Amino acid sequence: MIDERRLVDLALRLVSTPSFTGSEQAAAELLRDELASLGLQVQWQQVEDGRANVLGTWPGSGDGPTLMFNGHLDTSYSGREPWLQGIPGFQPEGFERDGRIYGLGISNMKGAVACYVEAVRSLMDAGIRLRGDVVVAGVAGEIEKTQEGDAQGAEYRGYAAGSRHLVTHGGVADMCVLGEPTENKVVLAHFGTIWMRLTTRGPFVHTAFSSGRLDENSIVRMRSVLDAVLEWLPRWEEEMSYDGVHGVANVGAIQGGFGWRVSRTPHETHLYLDLRVPPSVPMAEARRKALEYARGLDGVEAEVYVTAPGAEIDADHPLVRTLEEAHAEVFGAAPERDVTRWFSDASVLTRYGIATVNYGTSSGLPDADLGENLEIDGLVRTAEVYARVARAVCGVAE
């Protein structure tokens, strides 16, 4: 039986331990100590200074499959962003109110990590021994971000940085449940992405000498490029549809010139695109399509600097069936299935032969003015689903 108080207390401690991307080690240490207190075999993976993965293995009797519960420890924000000040759910300070937990990372995805621990603990408390191993993995660097330009360093090394380290250092399993916030839907597939930079160039001259040369200005030149891109994006979205789900793309950033010296014409301007790619399209093919279009634009340089593949799992996979059965037992009705256009560490895990499904509680954003928050009852039920899945997948030893 899931102990609600124990689960909530661990979730609050995790949320109240800041772990912005690049600085996950304190959260990893907390999880390490928690897993060790259960008597699990604990493996520490130092990804780089200030950030680590931690794995806790509950050994089975040796004749069953290994199930991994994987959750990232980094949070989408640091809580120090000026535009997030005053929003309680975007601060690394967890608290309870009216049956909900608030705080940065509770939904994405420290609540799930707490559920993993409590699911294992509840099985142990019941005196159950499983045939297969259960592995609880807390990893660094999953959040969608990457080093680019002046944005260098660990805080920009996301996009499955921790799980890539995990699978190359012994962290593998037959199957995996990722507790990303899915509203308790069973996610059978998610999109990947290409990030592409388009660049226009122009002369770098003093304003006093720029008369009659406005059309050479790199920002002005980017205007027609942006117009062309906006006309093209719907075609990309149509071509990149998957299982009835339309593709999606975003104009994510534009950068050019110097705000502190606008007496100079900008020598270059960059336009950044986020082009979502379904798991059915090879990344090399998607990259080729994106660059083929971009290189056809007059006077534009193009570079792809992120290729993060999507992931999928067969709808008839035993893990999917087991998860859906457990959900129905706990919630009283079959779960919905979903295909999402966000990224997860399933991208890496599936490429190491680990069949992975995303299933977790609420996205925790019913009110943007409050930030991340989760209903405690939903968290408890999700932990119970995880416990049942572990028992069914790994099997109970005689």
Side-chain angles (χ1 to χ4, degrees):
M1 175 178 287
I2 300 301
D3 186 318
E4 178 180 309
R5 188 67 258 160
R6 199 165 57 188
L7 171 59
V8 170
D9 286 347
L10 177 55
L12 289 172
R13 283 189 286 130
L14 282 166
V15 169
S16 299
T17 304
S19 55
F20 183 55
T21 305
S23 302
E24 300 95 338
Q25 184 149 328
E29 290 171 349
L30 188 160
L31 182 59
R32 176 197 62 195
D33 294 346
E34 195 70 23
L35 296 173
S37 74
L38 293 180
L40 272 59
Q41 296 176 356
V42 177
Q43 178 183 355
W44 181 265
Q45 296 182 348
Q46 194 72 45
V47 177
E48 58 183 317
D49 289 347
R51 57 196 324 208
N53 298 334
V54 61
L55 287 76
T57 300
W58 182 24
S61 62
D63 58 347
T66 297
L67 175 67
M68 177 188 292
F69 290 107
N70 181 300
H72 64 85
L73 300 174
D74 57 331
T75 55
S76 298
Y77 314 103
S78 68
R80 300 188 297 270
E81 294 83 357
W83 57 92
L84 297 180
Q85 297 305 304
I87 303 178
F90 288 138
Q91 301 303 313
E93 300 168 1
F95 64 93
E96 293 177 70
R97 187 169 68 199
D98 299 328
R100 305 187 77 88
I101 298 176
Y102 293 78
L104 181 62
I106 185 58
S107 63
N108 190 26
M109 55 180 292
K110 293 182 176 183
V113 173
C115 285
Y116 301 158
V117 175
E118 180 56 30
V120 170
R121 197 192 305 262
S122 71
L123 292 170
M124 288 180 159
D125 288 349
I128 295 170
R129 188 183 183 204
L130 302 179
R131 291 167 51 213
D133 292 359
V134 175
V135 178
V136 177
V139 300
E142 184 270 354
I143 300 298
E144 294 183 14
K145 58 180 66 173
T146 191
Q147 297 180 120
E148 190 278 331
D150 293 334
Q152 299 295 320
E155 66 182 293
Y156 301 105
R157 286 194 279 274
Y159 260 131
S163 278
R164 281 197 299 273
H165 188 97
L166 173 81
V167 294
T168 58
H169 293 79
V172 295
D174 296 289
M175 291 167 268
C176 178
V177 174
L178 275 173
E180 292 283 358
T182 71
E183 311 293 344
N184 291 109
K185 297 177 183 178
V186 177
V187 173
L188 298 178
H190 71 70
F191 280 57
T193 189
I194 279 175
W195 285 2
M196 184 166 65
R197 177 174 51 246
L198 306 181
T199 301
T200 53
R201 302 195 186 278
F204 183 71
V205 297
H206 193 288
T207 302
F209 307 108
S210 66
S211 181
R213 304 183 66 181
L214 186 60
D215 60 346
E216 299 177 48
N217 185 299
S218 67
I219 291 177
V220 175
R221 293 185 63 206
M222 185 60 78
R223 178 180 176 180
S224 62
V225 174
L226 177 57
D227 287 341
V229 165
L230 293 176
E231 289 185 9
W232 170 72
L233 289 184
R235 298 204 305 274
W236 175 274
E237 293 178 342
E238 181 64 33
E239 289 181 19
M240 296 296 160
S241 296
Y242 174 89
D243 196 25
V245 177
H246 211 243
V248 68
N250 181 42
V251 178
I254 190 164
Q255 184 181 69
F258 306 96
W260 50 271
R261 200 176 194 188
V262 293
S263 60
R264 298 294 187 275
T265 59
H267 65 292
E268 61 183 14
T269 297
H270 306 292
L271 181 69
Y272 298 86
L273 304 180
D274 176 2
L275 308 172
R276 296 286 147 158
V277 180
S280 56
V281 176
M283 292 306 295
E285 178 183 334
R287 176 183 181 275
R288 187 164 52 249
K289 283 179 177 288
L291 288 174
E292 181 180 10
Y293 169 76
R295 289 168 178 168
L297 297 170
D298 184 41
V300 173
E301 298 173 20
E303 179 183 0
V304 168
Y305 63 101
V306 166
T307 46
E312 58 188 340
I313 186 171
D314 192 285
D316 294 325
H317 193 281
L319 179 59
V320 173
R321 295 199 303 271
T322 300
L323 185 50
E324 291 182 333
E325 289 169 2
H327 175 100
E329 291 167 359
V330 173
F331 286 87
E336 296 180 46
R337 291 177 171 180
D338 201 9
V339 173
T340 68
R341 294 178 294 193
W342 42 250
F343 174 89
S344 85
D345 278 349
S347 173
V348 168
L349 300 174
T350 57
R351 279 154 183 82
Y352 270 73
I354 307 170
T356 304
V357 63
N358 277 285
Y359 171 88
T361 187
S362 167
S363 59
L365 295 174
D367 187 336
D369 293 335
L370 296 175
E372 290 191 45
N373 63 98
L374 286 182
E375 186 180 22
I376 292 173
D377 180 65
L379 207 61
V380 171
R381 292 190 187 200
T382 299
E384 176 63 26
V385 171
Y386 293 158
R388 292 178 184 232
V389 168
R391 179 170 178 163
V393 167
C394 297
V396 177
E398 296 294 334

